[in-house]
Amino acid sequence: MKILVTGGLGFIGSHTVVALQEKGYDVVIIDNLSNSDISVLEGITKITGIRPGFEAIDLRDKPKVIDFFNRYHNIEGIIHFAASKAVGESVQKPLLYYENNLNTLIYLLQQMQEKAIRNFIFSSSCTVYGEPDDLPITETAPVKPALSPYGNTKQIGEEIIRDTAKAYPLFKSIALRYFNPIGAHPSGYIGELPLGIPQNLVPFVTQTAAGIRKELSVFGDDYPTPDGTAIRDYIHVVDLAESHVVALERLLNNTQKVNFEVFNIGTGRGSSVMEIIKSFENVNGIKLNYKITGRREGDVTAVWADTSLAEKELGWKARLTMEDALRDAWRWQQKISKSS
Ligand code: WQD
């Protein structure tokens, strides 16, 4: 059965392609290589022994998108990762984010209607909750005004899909609201490839440990948390990838309750920045160079998921630990530091 994965050479996309291939799905990837590298295709192939189909297409190019769907007739489902995702950059370049994250979604959904492709998994984010009122966060928590254009594209994206599902009863979709993806595939063949200076914590940690960055700045230790640093729900990217296959199969098997569903995908546990640092040092036997600096604009104090709905409805639960993720992230960093 052929599945299209857009953004399939990206961090989460590549790990999802591996998980799909391991379940026997025939995968074709669309990626414009704006935030990924063609070498990821080799990495995927090394892990599974199966080279996925690949088309270097920019989904903003509507004629190219139409041409793709005229050439590929038997696609049963789409998992849509392709989007810009840097919160800070989205504040500087909002129109790039609205164009890249929303036009592309609309073009894909239009083609799904044209070609009667019914099953759509959308990469969403816990960022839609903003600063939550209650913790852990359930799917019924209020979606707050977005703190960034990036977050707004995820909220608007979900609304576009919701309206599409209302208008087209045969269309089925699930949005997965990720918490904080970290780690790398245990094989060491694929992982995170941040372009330039990493915005996210764990790639900055591994690059500091590798000597690429001089020291890690801990953005604030004056939060109302046990150790004063902010708390997040860090989920191993391999667990996150597997949740996409489970969600897709819910649609393929027609076991969804309504034709648009939303699930939080996290571990259900919160960890502070300092806990990540200490755990990284312990797991990898490395002393990390870091300093405490001021808070980062837009950061929330604490966010972690209530994952009971995904457990109940999808039968999915994260099984890897933060320690597994930090070990795998370091293995990957050492690999790419050697080859660069
Ligand atoms: C985690 C914690 C920082 C870097 C973002 C997006 C979210 C999702 C995941 C796409 C925070 C602290 C970080 C550093 C630090 N992306 N930190 N020093 O901001 O929780 O979530 O990425 O969907 O939408 O908002 O992740 O890794 O940037 O930060 O102290 O050098 O680490 O302050 O508390 P975040 P992050």
Side-chain angles (χ1 to χ4, degrees):
M1 190 181 284
K2 190 177 281 293
I3 304 296
L4 165 60
V5 178
T6 73
L9 294 186
F11 176 38
I12 305 166
S14 56
H15 288 79
T16 303
V17 169
V18 166
L20 284 165
Q21 290 187 322
E22 286 174 344
K23 286 295 289 287
Y25 291 97
D26 173 14
V27 177
V28 57
I29 293 169
I30 285 180
D31 202 300
N32 69 358
L33 297 165
S34 63
N35 191 22
S36 57
D37 190 281
I38 193 66
S39 63
V40 175
L41 206 51
E42 298 319 316
I44 293 169
T45 310
K46 277 192 191 139
I47 296 169
T48 64
I50 307 162
R51 186 183 176 83
F54 173 66
E55 298 265 352
I57 293 172
D58 189 323
L59 292 172
R60 288 172 295 188
D61 184 338
K62 188 172 181 177
K64 284 267 173 57
V65 174
I66 294 168
D67 170 64
F68 171 87
F69 284 97
N70 286 335
R71 289 186 287 118
Y72 285 80
H73 303 291
N74 53 353
I75 289 173
E76 291 293 322
I78 299 177
I79 303 183
H80 180 43
F81 292 101
S84 302
K85 62 155 198 163
V87 171
E89 184 188 44
S90 77
V91 175
Q92 312 302 327
K93 303 174 184 171
L95 295 178
L96 180 145
Y97 271 68
Y98 288 116
E99 182 195 34
N100 192 39
N101 291 9
L102 297 178
N103 286 8
T104 56
L105 170 64
I106 293 165
Y107 298 159
L108 280 176
L109 294 174
Q110 286 171 331
Q111 287 306 302
M112 289 184 78
Q113 296 316 314
E114 289 282 310
K115 307 292 181 186
I117 302 170
R118 304 273 183 241
N119 307 296
F120 187 69
I121 303 294
F122 180 61
S123 166
S124 190
S125 167
C126 65
T127 202
V128 302
Y129 299 115
E131 177 92 57
D133 302 328
D134 303 306
L135 287 168
I137 302 181
T138 66
E139 289 80 354
T140 54
V143 169
K144 296 264 187 78
L147 297 172
S148 70
Y150 161 74
N152 209 19
T153 66
K154 290 304 179 184
Q155 291 182 9
I156 299 169
E158 286 190 13
E159 288 313 309
I160 291 171
I161 297 166
R162 193 183 302 280
D163 288 344
T164 303
K166 269 189 212 134
Y168 304 104
L170 295 177
F171 171 77
K172 299 170 279 169
S173 180
I174 289 176
L176 299 178
R177 290 175 179 167
Y178 313 152
F179 282 68
N180 287 59
I182 62 169
H185 194 272
S187 66
Y189 287 129
I190 55 174
E192 201 164 1
L193 282 171
L195 292 181
I197 300 174
Q199 300 303 306
N200 295 129
L201 177 64
V202 171
F204 207 108
V205 163
T206 58
Q207 288 192 11
T208 303
I212 298 167
R213 306 291 159 199
K214 197 164 82 54
E215 69 182 349
L216 168 74
S217 297
V218 173
F219 297 148
D221 68 346
D222 59 348
Y223 285 97
T225 60
D227 65 19
T229 62
I231 292 171
R232 296 291 184 273
D233 184 333
Y234 296 96
I235 177 169
H236 197 302
V237 65
V238 167
D239 276 331
L240 179 56
E242 282 167 11
S243 74
H244 289 77
V245 181
V246 172
L248 176 72
E249 291 181 336
R250 181 177 174 87
L251 298 184
L252 293 172
N253 301 332
N254 276 305
T255 51
Q256 80 284 352
K257 289 232 166 75
V258 288
N259 68 335
F260 179 49
E261 297 176 309
V262 173
F263 294 98
N264 287 341
I265 300 296
T267 64
R269 284 182 306 284
S271 303
S272 73
V273 175
M274 282 315 296
E275 283 172 317
I276 287 279
I277 291 171
K278 292 304 163 203
S279 175
F280 180 85
E281 291 182 326
N282 295 338
V283 157
N284 297 305
I286 292 172
K287 186 84 190 78
L288 202 62
N289 197 12
Y290 66 89
K291 66 180 177 186
I292 307 292
T293 63
R295 294 184 181 188
R296 179 173 65 179
E297 178 77 22
D299 274 349
V300 297
T301 302
V303 168
W304 68 89
D306 177 324
T307 58
S308 48
L309 190 66
E311 286 171 42
K312 176 169 167 280
E313 294 298 332
L314 300 179
W316 173 88
K317 186 171 168 52
R319 53 187 177 78
L320 298 167
T321 64
M322 176 178 68
E323 290 73 16
D324 294 325
L326 294 171
R327 185 180 302 111
D328 294 338
W330 179 233
R331 180 188 303 110
W332 168 246
Q333 180 65 61
Q334 290 174 291
K335 180 104 186 281
I336 52 178
S337 303
K338 253 192 234 127
S339 56
S340 60

